Amino acid sequence: MVNAIKGCYIECDIPMAQLIVHMNESMPNAHKFIIHVLDETRLFVQENAVDMIRKKIHEFCDSNTFEKPSA
Amino acid sequence: MYVLRLLYIDTAVKSKLMDEWVLPESHTKHRVAIDRLEQLRVFLLASEGSKEQSYKLNPKFQKQLRQALASGGAPPKDPLPSNIAVRLPSSAELDSYAMKQWEGVLLQLVSTAFPESSHDISRDRFVIETFQRAKLLDSGMKLTEAGFQFLLMDTSYQLWQIVREYISATEDRGINNVELIRFLLELGFHVVGQPYNRDTLSNTEQTVLEELKVLGLVQLQQGMKHRWFIPTKLATNLATSLSDVSSRYQSDGFIIIETNFRLYAYTSSKLQIQILRLFARIEYLLPNLTVGTLNRESIQTAFASGISADQIITFLQQNAHPYYAQKQPSVPETVSDQIRLWETDSNRVKLVPACYYDDFPSMEIFESVCTFAGDRNGLVWQDSSKRRLIVQADLHDEIHVDIVSTQDYAKSILQCVIISLKGCACNFYIL
């Protein structure tokens, strides 16, 4: 019988996918959100985790960019 | 020209005859012209029994045009009697008046985005209502995504959108729509800078004029006995088509961008400074010069409010300082590339609410679902080796029905086979 799961599909570059996988692994078991890792750049995750992922990625990007200290 | 040729011909003209009017090499142009006239219902197709097509001028149009040509056309609205000594504003004064009014209108829109810097701006209820109708502002007086984009458009586009909303808004206020549109169009054909009498206008038109004044389309003046209005350059915009005016009302460029992301804007207009504030960090405000920088943070705020990188770059190009506008490109490549990079950076991750399906019993069902979703543009991802696929979440209900019905179909076929093969020692895996 065909199975259907509701969730959210994520497509991104490899480093980002790794970051998300890492986030998933650092979570306690009850809060793991990745349902399927489809391939290197595509993931299928739970819907309720989307906002959290978005926030984390944003934080990660911000910490990763160098801002010239303004005079 | 075709129209003039046919103006005094009452019978239909064969299309073959018309083909002979033009040189063979411009035949395609001829066809386009004829087609367009036909679409406009200026030409009527008349093929009475014969095989050949023939065209006829629309009789109503013909009659009106003949009349207009013969009588020279009536002047639109009575010009002011010339014996009154009037000091008319020069065209430069009028232009600056129009731009000032229009900027005032836009400022009201921008001021909602930056409430802290705008306490000295008076708000016009009618303008705000129109903005809200156009969904540029939401009900809580906040600038929407469309509103941000609207600010970066050019003037004629903005004007059209506002006037369109204005027309639809007047329906609710009980003003006769037809009358309003007629008046607006008439206004478009008035001569810029000429005074026209206001006292002969109907009550509706009077109120409309008051509001058009706010938009900067007309200037109202009062004399001892008479009142009159003077259409501005913005008003003629109404009757011209959008394509050929798009760049004409651009004020002179004022922005200089250096390769080090510094932005110098030679302007004293509050509006322009506010617009720059959307995507740049303002550092100094001098009487006629504003200095700012573009940085990741400021551009990201712009993206967050729904402005795209291309819109920022086109805005910078359109308003480039004349000296810089001669250069190619007018915005340094490092800057425009960096803005685009920032944009892709903020869109590194694509998230689609979706539904995941696996465990399809047969390849046929899998493929039929794939095509079904593909036809509805909802197929996000598929993997045929493992028979799994992902479709957009909103298609789930339809897919569900589709799968169930395909399965029923497959089952019934299998059952038929089983019945017909009864007695044979065959093993069937029923779904």
Side-chain angles (χ1 to χ4, degrees), chain A residues 20-33:
Chain A
I20 298 172
V21 170
H22 171 73
M23 273 158 58
N24 187 51
E25 277 163 6
S26 60
M27 290 286 217
N29 257 342
H31 288 96
K32 294 233 188 289
F33 53 84

Side-chain angles (χ1 to χ4, degrees), chain A residues 18-62:
Chain A
Q18 285 301 322
L19 174 76
I20 298 172
V21 170
H22 171 73
M23 273 158 58
N24 187 51
E25 277 163 6
S26 60
M27 290 286 217
N29 257 342
H31 288 96
K32 294 233 188 289
F33 53 84
I34 293 187
I35 305 173
H36 292 283
V37 179
L38 305 170
D39 60 23
E40 277 181 332
T41 60
R42 301 183 178 89
L43 301 166
F44 193 73
V45 302
Q46 276 170 11
E47 241 175 343
N48 49 20
V50 168
D51 286 335
M52 192 268 294
I53 296 175
R54 211 174 262 158
K55 215 179 96 206
K56 282 262 170 87
I57 290 176
H58 199 76
E59 280 169 18
F60 177 72
C61 284
D62 281 348

Side-chain angles (χ1 to χ4, degrees), chain B residues 17 155 234:
Chain B
L17 191 70
T155 318
L234 286 177

